[in-house]
Amino acid sequence: MKVSVDREVCYGSAECAYRAPEVFDFIDGYGVVRPGREDSGDDPLVREIVEKCPSQAVLLGE
């Protein structure tokens, strides 16, 4: 499962980068998925971050 961050929705809380720095980074005021970590959507921590993102900007998809 692929994970992504919608920059149009992200308001820069940095929760994702704080909670899973091996998957997410914080660049220019927005959360981003680190290159090569897009397939981390099956990780339980990543799924929790998707559920708890305050702006609902972290997404899972195929």
Side-chain angles (χ1 to χ4, degrees):
M1 182 127 323
K2 299 224 183 251
V3 63
S4 62
V5 177
D6 184 343
R7 285 185 66 138
E8 296 292 319
V9 178
C10 178
Y11 59 68
S13 72
E15 275 295 310
C16 57
Y18 174 74
R19 297 185 70 207
E22 64 282 354
V23 176
F24 300 96
D25 202 353
F26 191 68
I27 299 174
D28 295 331
Y30 298 97
V32 295
V33 178
R34 289 183 177 277
R37 298 307 308 256
E38 296 86 359
D39 290 326
S40 298
D42 292 324
D43 182 319
L45 178 59
V46 171
R47 288 181 173 268
E48 184 178 330
I49 290 167
V50 169
E51 290 177 19
K52 295 184 177 181
C53 174
S55 63
Q56 299 298 296
V58 183
L59 308 169
L60 291 178
E62 293 300 318

